Amino acid sequence: MSIPPSTKNSGDVSAVSPLDGTPPARLDIANDLLRCAKLAQTVRSIPDSERTEEQRAELRRTNRTNTEALRRIVADHGWPSVTLVGLDAGRAAWLIALRCDDAEFQNGVLPLLADAVAADEAESAWWAHIYDRCCALTGVKQWFGTQFRNGPDSIEMYPVDDPEKLDARRAEYGLRPHPEKTAELRQRYGRDAA
């Protein structure tokens, strides 16, 4: 996988028209995406170490259902842009894509999301997270250090390529410095961040 330079932006989509009070073009799609994300968040709000097997199974079912809903939206409209669905629903689409375990689908949306970023219709950080998720799912070293897993003592980052330049890449894509993000994750989740 290569990193397309077209995905670089400030991560600020505030200049996009739906954020100036103009409603999204498709409120129906926006509402569907927000509903899907809310369903997953209900179970995700329970720490992983405290989830029952039934809750884990429910989360897997919800993730599959949400992925299928996003797959249909993408097939009909491309990546759900901020103009199409608004920033909150665009963020919901990103979270659905990020949390699915379908690397083929995620790889398929990467170029669509890159185009949306280039058009200031999505945040570059979204693209970076999904790119890293694809890497983690396929055993390739990630580029932005956004993906973590539970290690023997604490959370640990999936392997990253060219670690010396990690924070420079993160800054370019609107991500906070890696040590700061890692400390936040450890504080928020303790041992169980994955």
Side-chain angles (χ1 to χ4, degrees):
M1 288 183 279
S2 63
I3 310 290
S6 64
T7 61
K8 182 183 174 204
N9 79 1
S10 67
D12 176 17
V13 291
S14 60
V16 178
S17 92
L19 299 178
D20 68 5
T22 306
R26 293 293 304 268
L27 283 172
D28 57 328
I29 297 171
N31 287 333
D32 286 346
L33 288 167
L34 291 168
R35 181 186 46 76
C36 286
K38 185 175 182 178
L39 284 172
Q41 188 56 37
T42 300
V43 178
R44 275 191 195 285
S45 65
I46 302 166
D48 187 59
S49 61
E50 296 175 19
R51 289 182 200 149
T52 65
E53 266 317 304
E54 183 178 312
Q55 290 167 326
R56 286 187 178 99
E58 179 185 346
L59 183 57
R60 287 189 298 271
R61 282 190 303 273
T62 300
N63 285 343
R64 281 193 302 272
T65 301
N66 288 352
T67 301
E68 288 310 309
L70 181 58
R71 190 184 312 272
R72 287 189 299 274
I73 291 167
V74 168
D76 291 345
H77 303 280
W79 182 260
S81 67
V82 173
T83 298
L84 184 72
V85 299
L87 184 60
D88 289 340
R91 186 174 291 113
W94 161 65
L95 286 171
I96 291 166
L98 181 66
R99 291 174 174 160
C100 83
D101 286 331
D102 184 342
E104 184 178 334
F105 174 68
Q106 289 170 326
N107 273 310
V109 300
L110 275 173
L112 302 173
L113 185 50
D115 290 345
V117 170
D120 286 332
E121 289 284 347
E123 294 186 19
S124 59
W126 300 351
W127 187 91
H129 277 272
I130 292 178
Y131 179 84
D132 274 2
R133 183 73 174 148
C134 290
C135 291
L137 289 175
T138 57
V140 175
K141 288 182 178 179
Q142 63 178 323
W143 195 241
F144 301 100
T146 64
Q147 301 300 297
F148 289 79
R149 60 185 169 204
N150 293 327
D153 299 318
S154 182
I155 62 165
E156 62 185 24
M157 180 176 59
Y158 276 93
V160 65
D161 196 15
D162 197 8
E164 298 79 27
K165 297 179 183 170
L166 177 60
D167 278 335
R169 290 191 302 270
R170 288 177 64 87
E172 182 180 349
Y173 283 75
L175 298 165
R176 294 193 337 237
H178 190 262
E180 184 180 315
K181 183 62 179 176
T182 302
E184 176 192 305
L185 287 173
R186 286 193 173 127
Q187 182 178 17
R188 184 184 319 155
Y189 296 107
R191 188 178 144 56
D192 297 323

